Amino acid sequence: MEQQNTPEQQLEQAATLISSATNVVVFTGAGMSADSGIATFRSGNTGIWTGLVGKVGLLFFGTPFGWNLTPRWGWSSYVTEFYQPIARAEPNQGHIAIAKLFKHLESRNVNTDIITMNVDGLHQRAGVDPRKVHEVHGTVTRHRCIKNGHPLDVEIPAEGPPPPSPICQICQSYGRPDCVLFTEALPYNEWTAAANAVRRLGRKDVMIVVGTSGVVYPAAGLPEQALANGVPLIEVNLDKSPLSSQVTCLLAGRASEVLVALVDRVIEKLG
């Protein structure tokens, strides 16, 4: 349904929904970390996978095919183009606001969960309990071997030339990040925890959807499932998404700004 309220009324309604909920789930996409300097994947002409160069990059270090075909080049490109910008990034005010919100809610016995499609670990670095963060696309804070998935202990500098690809001491295959590449299945434990968090939501609970295009499945199906179950949704987004016309509250703007205002309003209501 089309939102008719003013931005101030939307903010007030969103804060009321959160402050009265028993279960709160925050679902975050690339827009959550954009203000930390981490490029999004599909935004206009600036996304990582946009344009000819982006599509070539996707083929070679965004898919298992590319990593198996050119593992050393894939590793080098991954470190310089992906890992190092993330390693240099810091949680933005939006991450910090969510961590602050969770502490206030948990002190009142409200159940909280974050489901994130991001692989940067910034929610945990902002202070959210890692057990509350379900990384459905994996993370670049861990690495494993290409062939069998054996864990690898790798030290990568935040800047400078990339180190050589690690070699697994068990099967002698090259290293890769422990995140989901295109065409791969999502990690079972993380996905199960995320799905269970959504199933717990009732009509008096709330899901906050932040900075997602709403087109990356199967993860994008989780907010849709919540909607189908009658759960109020609050969307925080710079651009409209397929969810925008269906959510209860649409808070337009940058996550780092909108979330601070929203959390301050919730804390004010909680007293």
Side-chain angles (χ1 to χ4, degrees), residues 40-108:
T40 59
F41 291 90
R42 294 173 177 79
S43 253
N45 296 319
T46 62
I48 292 174
W49 306 133
T50 57
L52 179 60
V53 173
K55 288 179 172 55
V56 172
L58 169 60
L59 175 65
F60 280 97
F61 74 98
T63 66
F65 168 79
W67 278 89
N68 285 303
L69 185 66
T70 57
R72 285 180 291 185
W73 186 79
W75 176 263
S76 176
S77 298
Y78 153 72
V79 169
T80 57
E81 302 297 329
F82 205 74
Y83 177 86
Q84 288 182 330
I86 289 175
R88 292 192 296 268
E90 296 291 338
N92 62 54
Q93 291 302 308
H95 293 105
I96 294 168
I98 291 175
K100 181 179 178 182
L101 173 66
F102 275 25
K103 288 178 182 177
H104 279 268
L105 294 177
E106 289 161 7
S107 71
R108 290 161 172 78

Side-chain angles (χ1 to χ4, degrees), residues 36 48 64 100 119 137 187 196 200 202 204 213 229 236:
S36 293
I48 292 174
K100 181 179 178 182
V119 298
H137 288 170
N196 287 339
R200 284 195 295 269
K204 293 185 178 180
S213 62
N229 292 341
V236 177

